[in-house]
Amino acid sequence: REIAILKKRKLDYDFEGLKLSSVETRYSTSKKSKRRTSSASLQVEIKDKDLCKRYVGAVMTGVNIKESPSWMKERLKASGIKSINNVVDATNYIMLELGNPLHAFDLEQIKDGAKANIVVRRAKDNEKIVLLDDTELKLTKNDLLITNGETPLALAGIMGGKASGIGENTKTIVLEAASFAATNIRKSRTRLNVRSESSDRFEKDLDPNLAEKAMVRLIEILEHTADAKLEEIVDKYPKKV
């Protein structure tokens, strides 16, 4: 997109076609779909709306964790990103393609009873989280967390937590496409000395509308590369831009 603007060229990509309404309609009208129309299995709450501008969550079932197709692995490698598995790779691939970071949680690791709760809140002073790279951090109230209400699942916009990561036995996933306040991400990243592909993008301030497009694209990719089926979508967008 940046090169197209600098060179005054038209970018040939259907951004307008990536709408949640289109994917929801496709699933709800499919005779084969057993998708629920309620949000019984996923609940999302944003407690600090200044730091989290939008949170789109989706549940996909029947996920087949395996090696990514060669075309995806080759493109990730060319961009300096190591292949992990088809779900994690899809989140990284679309981050490169559209510019909005994404994350995937193992639903079984984050749910409380029959429900999966996602609560976006500030950390408590001295609250701890172990990240995917095994780094243990002590947080302050200035850091933003993705939690299940109590347990930290991810350091918002920077890196996921180890306890809720995707494993080879994962069958149901919760996908995250969100938009976080750039200044807060930059301050947390600097103070905690944790930098990631995700923080590099969020700290430059992203359009909250891009989160929707990234989620739709992620659902499309996982249908083909992980045999996943959409169960439901929850979109929390407190102050539309």
Side-chain angles (χ1 to χ4, degrees):
R1 285 185 301 173
E2 292 171 350
I3 292 170
I5 291 168
L6 291 169
K7 295 291 185 178
K8 294 182 171 57
R9 295 177 180 174
K10 182 179 179 181
L11 185 65
D12 186 17
Y13 195 98
D14 184 20
F15 284 97
E16 293 305 313
L18 297 173
K19 295 182 179 179
L20 288 174
S21 57
S22 63
V23 73
E24 287 184 302
T25 300
R26 175 161 57 85
Y27 266 83
S28 62
T29 57
S30 171
K31 293 181 180 179
K32 295 181 180 180
S33 175
K34 295 181 180 179
R35 178 176 175 267
R36 290 191 292 271
T37 56
S38 67
S39 297
S41 64
L42 178 64
Q43 294 185 348
V44 176
E45 181 184 3
I46 301 174
K47 291 209 167 185
D48 197 312
K49 298 176 176 61
D50 291 330
L51 299 186
C52 181
K53 303 174 185 178
R54 187 178 191 178
Y55 195 102
V56 184
V59 177
M60 298 194 81
T61 60
V63 179
N64 182 13
I65 302 295
K66 57 186 177 181
E67 192 174 328
S68 293
S70 58
W71 61 265
M72 183 177 288
K73 289 194 296 182
E74 288 167 5
R75 290 185 179 184
L76 289 174
K77 184 179 179 180
S79 298
I81 295 179
K82 181 182 177 181
S83 174
I84 305 296
N85 58 52
N86 53 343
V87 173
V88 175
D89 288 358
T91 63
N92 286 327
Y93 182 83
I94 294 155
M95 175 188 68
L96 293 172
E97 187 180 58
L98 294 179
N100 200 109
L102 297 146
H103 192 67
F105 302 100
D106 185 327
L107 183 139
E108 292 300 320
Q109 302 301 319
I110 71 173
K111 73 178 184 179
D112 179 16
K115 297 178 181 178
N117 291 322
I118 294 290
V119 179
V120 186
R121 63 165 173 84
R122 288 177 181 265
K124 303 166 188 173
D125 282 330
N126 296 319
E127 190 169 11
K128 295 180 180 180
I129 184 173
V130 178
L131 301 180
L132 285 168
D133 64 357
D134 290 320
T135 301
E136 183 176 13
L137 300 176
K138 184 182 289 187
L139 309 173
T140 74
K141 62 182 179 182
N142 295 317
D143 301 313
L144 191 66
L145 287 174
I146 310 299
T147 74
N148 64 0
E150 290 296 326
T151 306
L153 307 175
L155 185 58
I158 299 176
M159 192 177 292
K162 188 171 184 179
S164 60
I166 302 298
E168 59 181 15
N169 297 318
T170 299
K171 294 299 180 186
T172 304
I173 56 178
V174 176
L175 303 174
E176 168 190 292
S179 189
F180 303 110
T183 302
N184 181 259
I185 296 296
R186 186 166 58 251
K187 286 181 177 180
S188 286
R189 186 266 298 170
T190 302
R191 184 177 54 78
L192 295 169
N193 195 28
V194 179
R195 188 170 187 172
S196 66
E197 294 278 356
S198 178
S199 67
D200 280 350
R201 286 157 176 82
F202 278 126
E203 68 179 46
K204 292 178 176 67
D205 202 9
L206 298 179
D207 178 0
N209 296 305
L210 192 59
E212 173 180 5
K213 301 177 187 305
M215 178 61 81
V216 173
R217 180 69 171 136
L218 180 57
I219 290 168
E220 290 177 349
I221 290 285
L222 290 176
E223 287 174 339
H224 295 288
T225 63
D227 307 315
K229 298 292 184 291
L230 179 66
E231 180 74 11
E232 62 183 310
I233 299 173
V234 177
D235 183 10
K236 296 292 184 179
Y237 197 178
K239 189 177 180 181
K240 293 188 178 182
V241 177

